[in-house]
Amino acid sequence: VGINIGYGFGSGVVQDGTLFGGVGELAGAVGALFPKGLPRPTTRDLMITLQSCGRAVEVVEDLDQFCAEQDPVVAAWVERVSGQLSPLISTVWLLLGPEEIVLTGHLPRHVSQAIAERLVHVLRTWPTGTSMPIPRILPARLGRLSIAAGAAWLPILREGSTNELDEAASGRPADAGPPHARASVTKV
């Protein structure tokens, strides 16, 4: 499952190498859970929050200087956003049982990592008594480039088969090795 914390907010589900679209290709439109006009778990919201506290943030790259300094405004924002995302992540975990939840978007990697760590803590302390394995929650390996990389794969996914993509990405036959050895694609 991919959760995009960008200028907007969305998600996507990939199962067996196939992007799940749902009815009308609207699966993953979870941004509706966070009404516009209210604080939302988005990169744009972090920029607005920093600006309202007098920080000079004009473009996404400006976030790096404040986020690298352990800015207390950023720390408070991470706590708020983690709280906002907790019900969504818990629902995804219990409903879909994913192996992995990847946080994509424009946030600096260590901010995404801080959110991921708080969300893992939420799942570990969930009061349901379920024995369901907790998914890995982690920032996208490509950081800010994950969105562009995911978008670049869409035309290829429409034209090629998953087996061809797996073989091309891994340099080995698609049926060779365990499933975790194959390439995976995340909707962004």
Side-chain angles (χ1 to χ4, degrees):
V1 175
I3 304 288
N4 182 32
I5 304 173
Y7 278 103
F9 186 83
S11 71
V13 176
V14 175
Q15 181 173 356
D16 298 325
T18 303
L19 184 61
F20 176 73
V23 176
E25 297 296 316
L26 294 174
V30 295
L33 296 171
F34 307 101
K36 291 184 179 179
L38 297 175
R40 305 177 81 207
T42 65
T43 303
R44 181 72 187 136
D45 181 71
L46 175 57
M47 293 173 70
I48 290 168
T49 299
L50 286 165
Q51 289 168 349
S52 71
C53 294
R55 309 302 197 282
V57 178
E58 298 300 323
V59 295
V60 170
E61 290 76 15
D62 292 341
L63 291 174
D64 294 334
Q65 76 181 55
F66 297 106
C67 296
E69 299 171 0
Q70 299 294 12
D71 189 294
V73 175
V74 174
W77 184 86
V78 165
E79 286 300 319
R80 176 181 60 85
V81 165
S82 298
Q84 286 179 291
L85 293 177
S86 292
L88 173 64
I89 296 297
S90 300
T91 301
V92 166
W93 171 48
L94 296 170
L95 187 62
L96 300 176
E99 181 178 344
E100 189 172 88
I101 298 173
V102 179
L103 304 179
T104 67
H106 299 292
L107 294 175
R109 184 175 177 83
H110 67 281
V111 173
S112 294
Q113 182 64 45
I115 294 169
E117 289 169 4
R118 284 164 179 78
L119 294 173
V120 166
H121 176 74
V122 166
L123 298 186
R124 284 194 177 128
T125 58
W126 194 258
T128 63
T130 182
S131 61
M132 200 156 138
I134 293 173
R136 289 184 306 274
I137 303 176
L138 56 144
R141 289 179 197 99
L142 295 177
R144 292 179 180 146
L145 296 175
S146 61
I147 296 168
W153 274 100
L154 289 176
I156 297 167
L157 286 172
R158 288 190 182 109
E159 296 298 321
S161 74
T162 301
N163 288 339
E164 291 167 343
L165 291 173
D166 285 343
E167 188 171 332
S170 68
R172 51 193 265 173
D175 58 356
H180 67 273
R182 297 194 312 255
S184 62
V185 180
T186 303
K187 176 181 176 182
V188 292

